[in-house]
Amino acid sequence: MTKQCYLRGFGSFAPPKVLTNDDLATFVETSDEWIKTRTGIEQRHIVDPGQCTSDLVTEAAKAALNDASLAVADLTHILVATFTPDAYCPNTACVVEDKLGTKGLMAMDMSAACSGFVYGLQVARGLVSISDNATILLSGAETMSSRTNWKDRNTCVLFGDAAGAVVISPTPGPNCAELIDVEVSSDGALRDLLTVTGGGSSMPYTLDQPVPAEHFVMMQGREVFKHAVRSMTSVCETLLERNGLTNADIDLLIPHQANMRIIDAVGKKLDMPEGKVFVNLQKYGNTSAASIPLALADARAQGAIKPGMTVLLTTFGGGFTWGSALLKFL
Ligand SMILES: CC(C)(COP(=O)(O)OP(=O)(O)OC[C@H]1O[C@@H](n2cnc3c(N)ncnc32)[C@H](O)[C@@H]1OP(=O)(O)O)[C@@H](O)C(=O)NCCC(=O)NCCS
């Protein structure tokens, strides 16, 4: 039987170093005007050398635990959604477990690209259902700069580094949200439109080989754009219909922060007024799996989310993967 499931603490962390559009224009042929008009992005945060995904998750996790008034010792599971892990092995969740100073937890990474956090909500919901008393740290985190081809202006202007985290449990707490429902989907036939294949088993490296372009994000931007709008819209419609709701019942839409034009198109198709669509993309760029939990934490901090609000999340990413989740803030 499905148990009730609550998001109890919200935290985020972006590395302090900021790369503005003007900074980018010093080493790649682009301009602040082009980037702002085509994407809405003004700047992105980038890690310093030596800083990696587990560092970002650890900071976001501490903030989320603090927000939930919970301790590291309360955690039973650590789930990290990322496709830019510290390493193939060990997984980032184990590194985070150690950095938080705990052990003995179920610690696992999940990969669904930008949809990783919403996929993670579905996994966490399942774990809450089958566990006696799960207290799950779920983070979406990326060090996109480690997989960015800084010579490719088509992609390097889009991404940024950050982590967001929530604590999920079967019991409510102050300022929490009930996870009402989640819908996730995918279409692997479209996998070649957004890839990072280099170093995987389909394209293994050999010693002394120079790093190929495939080590970095490669994307057919226009195709991705079309599918993103279509999938993010339809998955929201599915979720709303299943829960007997209409767009008028939604107080705030938090879409994956990929591109302002995608966000605008999804908002229009769902008939959501601009003021009900949360945007923080201008500050962070596309932080992939971190985008939704970072936006959730930001929205909470800015007072854009208040008790009683119904919030709809929607996301899209490589794979292709996509999904939507419905939250009721208490
Ligand atoms: C990437 C994206 C912003 C490009 O915008 P677009 O309007 O489709 O632009 P195009 O790719 O058609 O390129 C138009 C021109 O701008 C140029 N261009 C591309 N990137 C540029 C940049 N950073 N600066 C200046 N010019 C650039 C192209 O070379 C092209 O020039 P050409 O006409 O001389 O060939 C857009 O396709 C997009 O947002 N796609 C979705 C990306 C995304 O969000 N992915 C993640 C999903 S999870």
Side-chain angles (χ1 to χ4, degrees), residues 163-231:
V166 295
V167 183
I168 298 176
S169 86
T171 47
N175 303 317
C176 74
E178 184 174 356
L179 180 58
I180 305 287
D181 201 0
V182 183
E183 171 76 10
V184 288
S185 191
S186 64
D187 184 354
L190 300 168
R191 64 189 178 278
D192 290 338
L193 297 174
L194 178 46
T195 58
V196 185
T197 44
S201 57
S202 71
M203 193 179 280
Y205 296 151
T206 53
L207 272 179
D208 305 325
Q209 178 191 345
V211 175
E214 288 83 358
H215 178 77
F216 304 103
V217 173
M218 299 178 103
M219 183 176 68
Q220 294 180 36
R222 286 205 170 175
E223 283 304 304
V224 174
F225 193 107
K226 276 193 291 190
H227 286 285
V229 173
R230 211 175 292 152
S231 306

Side-chain angles (χ1 to χ4, degrees), residues 29-31 34-35 38-39 114 153-154 157-159 194 219 221-222 224-225 256 258-259 261-262 286 316-317:
E29 202 184 328
T30 190
S31 67
W34 194 97
I35 301 170
R38 300 289 176 120
T39 72
C114 304
R153 68 177 183 173
N154 291 294
V157 303
L158 302 175
F159 300 104
L194 178 46
M219 183 176 68
R222 286 205 170 175
V224 174
F225 193 107
H256 170 43
N259 179 308
R261 290 187 296 153
I262 294 177
N286 180 349
F316 178 84

Side-chain angles (χ1 to χ4, degrees), residues 88-89 92 138 152 170 172-173 183 200 208 218 237 253-255 286 297 309 311:
Y88 281 115
C89 184
T92 304
L138 169 64
D152 176 14
E183 171 76 10
D208 305 325
M218 299 178 103
E237 288 166 349
L253 174 70
I254 302 188
N286 180 349
M309 284 176 88
V311 175

